[in-house]
Every structure is written in C-alpha cells, then in structure tokens.
C-alpha cells in the first residue's frame, strides 16, 4: 500500500503499529537567532619598553561585550609578567567614564577583577568596563626578551544561579 494513510493527504504517514496517522512531516526549515554574550579582553601597558627594576608600569585592561546579549557576573584573572608585582588600583570605569565599584585582589602572580559586591559586573552588548592598575618591576625582572602578561575573563549568559546554565 505504499505506507501512506488513507484520507490523510500526502503529508500524513500511517503509524502501522497503532493504525492512525503520524504527525505531519516538516516541509520547510525554520531559523532561530541565538543571543549570546561575548567578552573580548584587551590590554595595554605604559611604558612599553625600557622597563628596569623599580620602575612603575601602568596596565589598562578592558572587558567589552561584543556579543548580542548581556554578560552577567563578569570576572577576570590577570597573570602578571615575570618580574612584576602588583602595586595598586588606579580606577575601574564604564564606557561613559562613570566609576564602577570593583574588587581587585592581589594573589601574587595573578590579580582578579570582580564587581563589588562580587558578581555585580553585568555588561550589556556594546558596553565595556575598563580597569587600570600599576605594577612595579622587581629586581629579578628579565631585562631582555618578551614579557607576557595575559588577562582572561569569565561570564555567564543568565543572571543569577540558573541550573544547567552554560558558563
């Protein structure tokens, strides 16, 4: 009998085990847009060259939401370059220049950035938070070569603690 149900039309298939028509077949594709935050980090340093033991270096780090939805509970870990020691914060501000309440924690070779209270840095698409801090070159700093200083941000795509949430 070709597998088609009687009277069901060409888009209905016979469910032979139950003797009734199965649901209609999909005949066209449906598209969906997924909104996700993306935090892009950037960093600059001043001075860029000629640093020697005892010099104060200023780092500026920026956390920009280049995605399509708000990045919630944004935090970051900054790994200092060899021979550098965190000295002090200068500021954290948003794209409008307004101060942003922050917790900057010195963990020795790394420093962490978070909102104050913790978890309060929510960054909307197209917006950013920028922090500036100083570090001092230590006597053991390597004078030649490249010094790598990296920053990594984490965020969530939903506000608060949500079961099954991707982070």
């Amino acid at each position: 009998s070709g597998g088609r149900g009687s009277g069901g039309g060409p888009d209905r298939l016979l469910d032979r085990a139950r003797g009734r028509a199965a649901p209609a077949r999909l005949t066209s594709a449906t598209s969906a847009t997924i909104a996700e935050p993306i935090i892009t980090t950037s960093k600059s340093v001043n001075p860029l060259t000629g640093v020697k033991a005892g010099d104060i270096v200023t780092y500026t780090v920026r956390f920009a939401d280049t995605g399509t939805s708000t990045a919630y509970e944004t935090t970051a870990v900054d790994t200092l370059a060899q021979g550098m020691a965190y000295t002090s914060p200068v500021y954290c501000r948003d794209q409008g220049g307004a101060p942003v309440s922050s917790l900057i924690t010195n963990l020795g070779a790394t420093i962490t950035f978070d909102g104050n209270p913790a978890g309060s840095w929510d960054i909307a698409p197209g917006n950013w938070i920028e922090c500036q801090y100083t570090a001092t070159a230590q006597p053991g700093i390597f004078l030649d070569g490249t010094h790598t200083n990296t920053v990594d941000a984490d965020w969530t795509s939903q506000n608060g603690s949500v079961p099954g949430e991707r982070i």
Side-chain angles (χ1 to χ4, degrees), residues 10-11 21 78 94 100 105 135 144 149-150 156-157:
D11 289 336
D78 191 346
D94 66 16
V100 175
T105 306
D144 294 323
N149 178 310
T150 59
T156 61
S157 59

Side-chain angles (χ1 to χ4, degrees), residues 17-144:
R18 293 180 187 84
R20 60 179 180 234
R25 290 182 288 169
L26 292 176
T27 57
S28 63
T30 301
S31 63
T33 301
I34 306 296
E36 282 291 315
I38 299 171
I39 294 295
T40 302
T41 58
S42 60
K43 177 184 272 189
S44 63
V45 59
N46 187 28
L48 192 56
T49 61
V51 175
K52 59 189 177 308
D55 288 352
I56 302 290
V57 175
T58 301
Y59 291 98
T60 304
V61 293
R62 182 176 285 186
F63 315 104
D65 186 349
T66 57
T68 56
S69 66
T70 298
Y72 295 98
E73 296 124 25
T74 304
T75 62
V77 175
D78 191 346
T79 303
L80 298 174
Q82 179 280 331
M84 298 302 294
Y86 174 78
T87 307
S88 65
V90 177
Y91 65 77
C92 286
R93 64 182 180 199
D94 66 16
Q95 67 285 341
V100 175
S101 186
S102 305
L103 294 170
I104 300 176
T105 306
N106 180 6
L107 301 174
T110 61
I111 57 174
T112 61
F113 298 90
D114 198 347
N116 187 11
S120 63
W121 276 6
D122 297 339
I123 306 172
N127 292 344
W128 48 263
I129 293 175
E130 179 179 270
C131 294
Q132 191 173 84
Y133 67 92
T134 59
T136 303
Q138 300 300 293
I141 190 169
F142 297 149
L143 297 179
D144 294 323

